[in-house]
Amino acid sequence: GPDISVTNTKAHLDQLQSIANANGGNRSTGRPGYKASVDWVKAKLDAAGYTTTVQSFSTSSGTSYNLVADLPGGDASSVVMFGAHLDSVSVGPGINDNGSGSAGILETALAYAASGQTPRNHVRFGFWGAEELGLLGSKYYVGQLTTAQRSAIRSYQNFDMIASPNVGYFVYDDNAVGNGVRDDFTAYYDSKGLPWEYIDVQGRSDRAAFRSSGMATGGIFSGAETIKTSAQASKWGGVAGKAFDACYHRACDTNTNLDLVALDRNVDTIGYMVWRYAAKDYGTTTPPT
Ligand code: PHE
Ligand code: CA
Ligand code: ZN
Ligand code: ZN
Ligand code: ZN
C-alpha cells in the first residue's frame, strides 16, 4: 500500500491544536473552534480538487456541521466512504479524539487525489459533527440520503481515535453484514506483523447509522478509557494497568497526547484501505473513466 505521511498528518494535528487554542481550548459543537475546524479541513480538500458540501443541522448545543468531500470520478452508483468525527468534547481540544482520525483521513484524501490513481468506485470522505452528543452528524447524514443514494454506498469505514498514547490495535468486529472490511483490516495488520484484537464498539461509533441501513462497515480504534491488561502490554508495549488514553475526554488530550508510531501505522492502514476500496470490483457495469 501507499506510505501516507505521518509528518503531514502530525502537522494537521498541530493545526487543529492551534484552532482549539485560538477558540477557548476546544473544538466542540456550537463553539467557534468547531466551525473553524470545518472551514480549515474544507479549504485543504477544495484545493486538492474535492467537491465539498457543508451540511448544517441543529443540536441542543447549537448548530453543527458535517463536511462531505467527493472526489470527482468513479462509478457514481458504487460509492466507498471513509469517515471520522471532527468535533471534540467541550473540555479540551480533542486531538487524539478525534483529531487523529480526522487528520488521518484528510491526509489520505490529499494523498489519493495527488496520486493520479483512477478510482473504479466513487470515493467520498465524511467529517462528522456532534459525534460527542450522540453520533448526531453521522445519523443526520444517513437520514437525509435518498433511497438511491443509500443503496449506492458499498461500504463505510470509520476512524475514531487512532493514535492513543498507551496504544492498542483494535478492529471493529463488524461481521454480521457480509463484507470484507473487517477481514481486510486484520489481514493488513497481519501483513505488518502487528498483533490486533477485535472490539465490539456497539453504539460508540459513527458507523452505527450506516450499519443499521445494511451497509458494510468497519473501522479501527487505538483505545480510550479502558485499562490495558498485562497481556496487552506484552504484545503492544506500553503500560499495563493504565488507560489506553488517560486523557480521553479531558483537557490534556492535546497534540502531545499521541503515539506517533501508532499514528504512522494507522494512517498507512487508512491508505491501504482507501486505495484498495477505490479500486475494488463490486461487479458494476460502468467501466472506470
Ligand atoms: N466514540 C467514542 C468517543 O468519541 C470513542 C470510541 C470509539 C469508543 C470506538 C469505543 C469505540 O468518545
Ligand atoms: Ca506512513
Ligand atoms: Zn469522544
Ligand atoms: Zn471519538
Ligand atoms: Zn510508515
Side-chain angles (χ1 to χ4, degrees):
D3 182 13
I4 305 302
S5 169
V6 69
T7 304
N8 292 354
T9 308
K10 175 58 163 53
H12 303 329
L13 289 165
D14 292 340
Q15 185 64 40
L16 292 173
Q17 179 73 58
S18 298
I19 288 170
N21 293 347
N23 289 283
N26 69 76
R27 304 181 302 100
S28 78
T29 303
R31 311 282 185 89
Y34 181 65
K35 184 57 161 48
S37 300
V38 171
D39 292 345
W40 179 75
V41 173
K42 180 180 188 300
K44 300 286 281 186
L45 292 165
D46 286 341
Y50 283 85
T51 301
T52 58
T53 308
V54 177
Q55 300 181 329
S56 62
F57 58 95
S58 47
T59 81
S60 59
S61 299
T63 303
S64 187
Y65 306 89
N66 290 330
L67 172 64
V68 180
D70 285 89
L71 185 65
D75 179 351
S77 70
S78 186
V79 179
V80 291
M81 275 196 79
F82 307 87
H85 76 84
L86 186 55
D87 63 312
S88 73
V89 289
S90 59
V91 300
I95 298 301
N96 185 39
D97 180 17
N98 185 33
S100 65
S102 297
I105 66 168
L106 170 61
E107 181 56 23
T108 307
L110 300 178
Y112 189 78
S115 71
Q117 298 278 314
T118 300
R120 177 186 296 272
N121 301 306
H122 182 79
V123 176
R124 181 179 300 152
F125 295 89
F127 297 81
W128 312 125
E131 186 273 355
E132 299 290 6
L133 303 181
L135 316 179
L136 299 185
S138 55
K139 287 179 187 169
Y140 179 86
Y141 174 76
V142 173
Q144 55 83 53
L145 294 170
T146 65
T147 303
Q149 288 169 332
R150 210 169 296 171
S151 56
I153 300 174
R154 302 291 189 163
S155 64
Y156 173 76
Q157 300 179 32
N158 196 64
F159 302 94
D160 185 356
M161 304 180 73
I162 62 166
S164 303
N166 190 25
V167 66
Y169 293 90
F170 297 99
V171 175
Y172 297 5
D173 192 8
D174 283 3
N175 60 340
V177 178
N179 75 88
V181 177
R182 179 193 69 168
D183 296 346
D184 285 338
F185 278 120
T186 61
Y188 178 79
Y189 279 160
D190 283 342
S191 77
K192 298 293 176 186
L194 194 57
W196 51 268
E197 292 181 10
Y198 286 130
I199 185 167
D200 179 356
V201 298
Q202 303 186 318
R204 296 186 67 184
S205 143
D206 280 312
R207 101 279 188 241
F210 295 87
R211 191 167 166 78
S212 305
S213 299
M215 296 167 202
T217 61
I220 53 174
F221 171 56
S222 56
E225 77 286 2
T226 300
I227 304 298
K228 182 178 269 188
T229 67
S230 49
Q232 290 169 327
S234 300
K235 64 180 165 189
W236 291 322
V239 185
K242 206 180 140 213
F244 291 101
D245 183 355
C247 288
Y248 173 66
H249 285 185
R250 297 179 58 199
C252 59
D253 183 12
T254 66
N255 59 343
T256 63
N257 184 49
L258 300 165
D259 180 327
L260 296 178
V261 172
L263 184 66
D264 185 22
R265 288 172 169 158
N266 281 333
V267 294
D268 289 345
T269 306
I270 299 171
Y272 172 78
M273 294 297 270
V274 168
W275 261 247
R276 181 178 181 83
Y277 277 75
K280 195 175 174 72
D281 186 355
Y282 283 102
T284 50
T285 50
T286 311
T289 52

